Amino acid sequence: MSIRRFALAALASALIAGPLAAAETLLNVSYDPTRELYSEFNAAFNKHWQAQGHDPVTIQQSHGGSGKQARAVIDGLRADVVTLALAGDIDELHRLGKLIPENWQERLPQSSTPYTSTIVFLVRKGNPQGIKDWDDLVKPGVNVITPNPKTSGGARWNFLAAWAYAQQKYGSEAKAQEFVAKLYKNVPVLDTGARGSTITFVNNQIGDVLLAWENEAFLALKEQGGDNFEIVAPSLSILAEPPVAVVDKNVDKKGTRKVAEAYLDYLYSDEGQRLAAKHFYRPRNEAIAGEFAKQFPALKLVTIDRDFDGWKTAQPKFFDDGGVFDQIYQAQ
Amino acid sequence: MSSITLTASASANAARRGNLLGRRLLIFGAWLAFVLFLLLPLLVVLGEALKQGLGTFFGAIFEADAISALKLTLLAVGISLPLNLLFGVCAAWCVSKYQFRGKSILVTLIDLPFSVSPVIAGLVYVLLFGAQGFFGEWLQEHDIQIVFALPAIVLATLFVTVPFVARELIPLMQEQGTQEEEAARLLGASGWQMFWHVTLPNIQWALIYGVVLCSARAMGEFGAVSVVSGHIRGYTNTLPLHVEILYNEYNHVAAFSVASLLLLLALLILLLKQWSESRINRLKASAGEE
């Protein structure tokens, strides 16, 4: 086969394979720590979907830092559904991409957040630095691992949890900013996503404490065995609410609205909720949350809507260009 | 020419004899660097990959997502290589056989992908062809997907591999000059005849070398492809991206198994180069005997 014919054949097959593959597939663009959850949930949903008399659907997954993933969808990654780390990132799909209506969060129960999580500390076995609470993270010589709030959703929850703690304890925003600035001085690397930070801490053995999603911390314990790490629950943390949404512009173009909506609805079903709990997310369904109550420590939690006036206020104030996070890093 | 080199190297040898220790040290240093920085990492990759036995190793390589990553990688190489070959030969031809205005700018531009960070190369394509990009609206109206699909992966691969063939050819063709081609034309050869029978045999070595470098780089490219891939498992992940995904999923053995698959492909390409070299040599030798 001549080079030219090979190239033509390759091009042709690529052109044909493109549209064919798009016909019966659903693309879920998600954030970092949900890999294990969705690989199991997708199989369960497919079974449920076929039991209702539909053809099987191929569910594709893409994972990465939440902000980066939102950016990719805005730039044209054809997600049917997004399951991201925080509402602020999905808001951007409306603001910058006009892909979804502004009231997207009202379309599903619990502000479109089928499961929740919180932020905990993962420390090395025996807790050699004696880390018990947020105050221990600003001590000199303690290395804190957390991802970059510009690209990672989990990192923004981490930041706000630390802020909430300091504001409650020291009483003012100025004090809180001082506290958080001190904390970020102890951060040697900022990975782009939560999973990158976990790998930095767990595999590359960098740092004394990892600020992590509760589900991510449990998963690290499960994958690496409980012999090397332990979880420390701080006195106060934040209720992290990862939301989900159908991307209207994409599903309408691809004709996948029905299956995309059924997919997200199924996250609220008993099976969906149990799978979430199995992968260490706190289920919204109270009966099922009760079944798994032993798994999750009881924590005092602030919320984004009550304590920070929602993501529409918090995102520009803390994380957009020139926000508090930038001020902290410019000061350093 | 060869006698001059011989006398030169003979006198150099005499000078070196007095400095045997220095020479040995240098050679030892070279070997040490080779073992430490090249051989050892390769062995670690293979060792990690085989940690849980051959079963897990082949399991990871023949897993559906790995196979589709392999296919996508080979497809990207398969498309970008001939295009680069064509571009490389044309560019080298223009630069070395003709005099024209802006020639030095063209030569500099060919090198651009060497100096631009691959991440920027990827971002440029997102800015051009993304939904918010320069051509975004038009592409969406016509339902053409470039970014986060095969076309952008090929474009990104093309961008980072463009200089390889041209860079190998330009110095050689400049050195060879235009005399042989001019002679062929005077003897009545057509443009194509001249190219096939005079130019191509002269540059085949450099061409093969450029192709080898180009395909090795195309297979291994991470940064630029990562930006435009969208990371859809089993669809837009090339082999290097798949390695990263596996590693991030606590699946170290699988990650290193797929990494050693990449390694194997690289070795295969080197063997291919060696084989074609020896074949060319044999052809030359037999031609010389006649």
Side-chain angles (χ1 to χ4, degrees):
Chain A
M1 197 191 265
S2 75
I3 287 171
R4 204 174 356 156
R5 268 171 64 197
F6 175 76
L8 279 178
L11 258 176
S13 67
L15 289 174
I16 294 162
L20 269 185
E24 59 224 272
T25 56
L26 195 68
L27 172 59
N28 176 2
V29 171
S30 195
Y31 63 114
D32 250 334
T34 56
R35 298 158 195 266
E36 292 76 12
L37 165 64
Y38 280 111
S39 81
E40 199 171 349
F41 176 81
N42 289 350
F45 170 74
N46 229 324
K47 226 163 144 194
H48 159 79
W49 184 245
Q50 287 174 63
Q52 290 191 324
H54 299 286
D55 287 333
V57 48
T58 310
I59 303 170
Q60 306 174 342
Q61 282 296 141
S62 169
H63 295 275
S66 184
K68 189 179 117 195
Q69 293 290 79
R71 186 72 242 179
V73 174
I74 292 165
D75 281 332
L77 181 58
R78 291 191 182 171
D80 299 276
V81 299
V82 283
T83 53
L84 295 179
L86 46 86
D89 285 334
I90 301 187
D91 282 336
E92 300 287 284
L93 300 193
H94 164 75
R95 195 173 68 89
L96 294 175
K98 298 276 173 270
L99 298 167
I100 53 171
E102 193 172 10
N103 68 344
W104 64 271
Q105 217 167 353
E106 294 159 21
R107 296 189 296 188
L108 284 168
Q110 309 275 10
S111 302
S112 294
T113 55
Y115 40 77
T116 68
S117 190
T118 184
I119 300 302
V120 296
F121 303 162
L122 192 69
V123 298
R124 306 203 182 275
K125 192 72 185 178
N127 199 355
Q129 299 272 1
I131 290 159
K132 294 269 183 296
D133 208 347
W134 293 100
D135 281 319
D136 298 314
L137 304 186
V138 299
K139 286 181 182 160
V142 172
N143 276 324
V144 181
I145 304 297
T146 174
N148 188 342
K150 294 278 182 183
T151 52
S152 157
R156 275 171 270 174
W157 292 113
N158 292 345
F159 182 100
L160 293 181
W163 182 278
Y165 171 85
Q167 199 177 358
Q168 292 207 356
K169 181 156 185 191
Y170 301 110
S172 77
E173 291 220 334
K175 287 271 167 55
Q177 181 155 345
E178 208 176 285
F179 180 87
V180 174
K182 247 160 118 189
L183 194 158
Y184 275 88
K185 268 203 183 109
N186 281 347
V187 178
V189 272
L190 287 171
D191 288 288
T192 55
R195 187 54 61 88
S197 282
T198 312
I199 298 282
T200 297
F201 182 75
V202 169
N203 292 7
N204 305 342
Q205 302 280 331
I206 294 172
D208 304 306
V209 52
L210 172 74
L211 303 186
W213 294 95
E214 183 179 49
N215 51 284
E216 184 77 356
F218 273 117
L219 181 73
L221 279 193
K222 190 177 134 201
E223 290 289 335
Q224 301 293 318
D227 317 335
N228 301 321
F229 305 97
E230 49 189 81
I231 290 175
V232 172
S235 65
L236 178 122
S237 192
I238 193 163
L239 179 70
E241 298 166 286
V244 299
V246 164
V247 185
D248 299 73
K249 203 171 167 188
N250 290 347
V251 293
D252 289 341
K253 193 179 255 173
K254 287 161 76 175
T256 47
R257 178 176 282 279
K258 208 174 139 205
V259 59
E261 283 174 350
Y263 180 80
L264 292 189
D265 283 340
Y266 201 62
L267 283 169
Y268 291 88
S269 73
D270 286 359
E271 190 183 17
Q273 291 283 293
R274 275 204 188 89
L275 279 176
K278 186 184 163 194
H279 290 279
F280 312 111
Y281 291 84
R282 298 183 177 214
R284 284 288 197 185
N285 181 317
E286 283 181 16
I288 290 167
E291 289 171 29
F292 291 88
K294 261 199 291 178
Q295 186 175 303
F296 302 110
L299 275 169
K300 201 177 143 201
L301 299 173
V302 299
T303 74
I304 183 76
D305 289 325
R306 210 181 47 227
D307 300 85
F308 290 97
D309 232 359
W311 277 109
K312 287 193 175 73
T313 312
Q315 175 69 31
K317 178 177 170 189
F318 291 103
F319 306 115
D320 282 356
D321 277 346
V324 172
F325 182 75
D326 281 347
Q327 292 164 26
I328 286 173
Y329 261 76
Q330 272 151 22
Q332 283 179 18
Chain B
M1 167 88 184
S2 63
S3 65
I4 297 168
T5 342
L6 271 179
T7 29
S9 69
S11 62
N13 268 338
R16 265 192 235 119
R17 234 169 268 137
N19 201 358
L20 198 66
L21 184 74
R23 197 175 74 180
R24 286 205 172 143
L25 267 177
L26 260 180
I27 292 175
F28 176 74
W31 270 104
L32 192 73
F34 169 74
V35 169
L36 268 185
F37 300 117
L38 283 173
L39 204 58
L40 211 60
L42 294 187
L43 288 179
V44 168
V45 169
L46 273 178
E48 287 285 321
L50 293 169
K51 219 155 99 184
Q52 288 170 15
L54 279 175
T56 344
F57 177 79
F58 285 115
I61 287 181
F62 289 114
E63 191 245 350
D65 286 347
I67 293 290
S68 80
L70 174 66
K71 278 187 189 158
L72 179 64
T73 304
L74 292 181
L75 188 62
V77 174
I79 297 173
S80 54
L81 198 60
L83 291 176
N84 266 335
L85 200 64
L86 193 72
F87 170 80
V89 172
C90 289
W93 183 276
C94 284
V95 168
S96 56
K97 311 282 181 192
Y98 300 122
Q99 290 299 330
F100 56 92
R101 236 204 250 239
K103 185 166 139 177
S104 59
I105 296 177
L106 184 69
V107 175
T108 316
L109 283 181
I110 290 174
D111 278 344
L112 196 67
F114 276 149
S115 49
V116 169
S117 158
V119 176
I120 308 225
L123 280 177
V124 164
Y125 288 117
V126 173
L127 285 177
L128 278 178
F129 303 118
Q132 310 294 315
F134 197 68
F135 300 111
E137 215 160 297
W138 188 86
L139 289 169
Q140 286 210 311
E141 269 166 29
H142 295 78
D143 205 25
I144 301 169
Q145 178 96 13
I146 291 188
V147 183
F148 309 119
L150 180 73
I153 293 175
V154 171
L155 281 174
T157 311
L158 261 179
F159 183 90
V160 294
T161 52
V162 142
F164 286 97
V165 173
R167 264 293 129 202
E168 285 303 318
L169 291 184
I170 288 171
L172 183 74
M173 287 170 84
Q174 271 176 336
E175 191 188 331
Q176 285 172 348
T178 52
Q179 287 177 347
E180 287 187 31
E181 274 88 1
E182 277 163 9
R185 286 313 284 262
L186 282 176
L187 290 172
S190 73
W192 268 115
Q193 280 174 324
M194 174 194 71
F195 181 75
W196 278 115
H197 297 294
V198 178
T199 312
L200 205 58
N202 275 338
I203 61 170
Q204 59 189 7
W205 274 92
L207 203 59
I208 287 168
Y209 196 63
V211 164
V212 167
L213 283 181
C214 182
S215 42
R217 176 70 204 264
M219 275 194 322
E221 175 52 25
F222 180 86
V225 171
S226 173
V227 175
V228 298
S229 127
H231 303 274
I232 307 171
R233 238 194 128 119
Y235 296 88
T236 62
N237 271 324
T238 59
L239 274 182
L241 299 183
H242 191 58
V243 171
E244 191 207 20
I245 284 192
L246 289 170
Y247 187 74
N248 278 346
E249 288 175 359
Y250 299 104
N251 211 339
H252 298 181
V253 174
F256 282 109
S257 302
V258 177
S260 50
L261 176 65
L262 261 175
L263 202 74
L264 219 71
L265 284 174
L267 284 178
L268 204 72
I269 287 183
L270 280 182
L271 280 179
L272 222 64
K273 174 188 160 242
Q274 210 63 34
W275 173 79
S276 50
E277 272 179 11
S278 67
R279 222 181 105 108
I280 291 164
N281 271 343
R282 226 178 310 139
L283 281 176
K284 267 190 180 163
S286 62
E289 275 161 25
E290 284 161 18

